[in-house]
Amino acid sequence: MASVFQSLPSESLRMQTNKTEWILFPSIYFGGLFPHLTYLRQQNRAMLRGPLTDYHDRRIINAYMLGLSAAECAISMEERDVISCRQHFSACVRESSFREASLPIKVMHYVIDNFHSSRTFHTFNHPSNDVMWHVVRQFLALLGLSMSVERPPVNQYLNDVTAAISLEMAEAVGLKFVDDEYSSHGVTIPRISLIEQFFRLYDSVADFPALCSANPAPNLGAPD
């Protein structure tokens, strides 16, 4: 993380103060429900931004690389590989749980208890208000304080992009809700329109295949 936050990772902060007590909590990240969601970093490491801000869908990328039309891409996104989705989900649970195992504040037990019935993450690094509330409660408890507000706000803080949870993933992990379209601030983005916007973006990128080759599938713990 030091390469991202430069002088502000927790190791550096420890060296800049004489405080002996620290409360550490994990990066609130879980990619288990989003096997297709990814970043595309350009050569200068800046994100390639598009209709979903920093996020891209590998199904759309693959369709573009194959020369499919937007309509053909939309159809291909309905294909299902339930076994791979289940394996991806399990691997992400293990990785995210391992990363927080030694920390006093934890997230994954709450996610596992609640992901079947409600959205716990909008994208792999944007948790729902409920998840953040759970973290705040633990933080306050460690300080000997109590939460003065009973429940989190209804309006989501981090839903500028809400990633689709594919039907194959919903089937793989037994979700009790369907949410297989992308949305922005709660407004659904029509699938064909989204694909067309991405295709136009990729048309504008010089040597897009090289960019894709430089962006292999991300690891399960967190994007680099």
Side-chain angles (χ1 to χ4, degrees):
M1 296 298 286
S3 62
V4 177
F5 293 103
Q6 298 179 4
S7 63
L8 293 178
S10 56
E11 307 88 50
S12 296
L13 291 175
R14 283 177 182 271
M15 297 172 63
Q16 296 174 25
T17 178
N18 59 4
K19 297 290 184 181
T20 58
E21 294 186 9
W22 289 75
I23 296 176
L24 301 178
F25 61 91
S27 171
I28 306 177
Y29 180 101
F30 178 60
L33 295 171
F34 313 110
H36 310 295
L37 198 65
T38 189
Y39 293 141
L40 286 179
R41 292 187 185 273
Q42 303 176 80
Q43 190 171 9
N44 63 0
R45 301 301 293 162
M47 300 291 189
L48 177 64
R49 290 178 64 83
L52 296 175
T53 65
D54 292 339
Y55 304 103
H56 300 258
D57 188 307
R58 288 192 175 276
R59 297 170 298 179
I60 298 176
I61 295 171
N62 293 338
Y64 178 85
M65 295 290 288
L66 291 171
L68 302 185
S69 68
E72 290 170 330
C73 175
I75 293 172
S76 72
M77 291 173 73
E78 297 295 335
E79 296 175 358
R80 301 191 185 190
D81 186 347
V82 173
I83 293 176
S84 292
C85 283
R86 189 173 294 126
Q87 292 172 340
H88 172 86
F89 181 86
S90 297
C92 287
V93 169
R94 289 193 298 271
E95 176 64 23
S96 292
S97 298
F98 173 78
R99 291 174 62 247
E100 67 177 22
S102 63
L103 301 178
I105 293 178
K106 294 178 172 57
V107 173
M108 287 308 298
H109 63 284
Y110 182 88
V111 173
I112 294 303
D113 287 345
N114 291 277
F115 80 91
H116 290 99
S117 57
S118 63
R119 266 216 181 244
T120 50
F121 281 81
H122 300 292
T123 65
F124 42 59
N125 58 345
H126 281 184
S128 68
N129 288 1
D130 288 336
V131 172
M132 290 190 287
W133 215 248
H134 179 67
V135 170
V136 171
R137 284 184 179 278
Q138 293 177 79
F139 186 84
L140 291 177
L142 290 170
L143 295 176
L145 303 173
S146 60
M147 181 76 79
S148 60
V149 181
E150 292 185 3
R151 57 183 61 86
V154 174
N155 294 330
Q156 295 291 316
Y157 290 129
L158 298 177
N159 71 337
D160 52 324
V161 171
T162 298
I165 299 177
S166 64
L167 294 177
E168 59 181 345
M169 178 57 73
E171 179 181 346
V173 299
L175 297 188
K176 297 178 182 178
F177 62 95
V178 174
D179 199 2
D180 63 335
E181 300 291 351
Y182 285 94
S183 64
S184 177
H185 298 286
V187 179
T188 299
I189 306 172
R191 183 174 298 187
I192 288 291
S193 174
L194 181 65
I195 295 169
E196 289 174 342
Q197 291 177 66
F198 270 120
F199 278 15
R200 287 194 294 271
L201 171 66
Y202 301 154
D203 280 339
S204 72
V205 177
D207 202 356
F208 185 70
L211 176 64
C212 293
S213 296
N215 285 268
N219 67 47
L220 301 177
D224 64 4

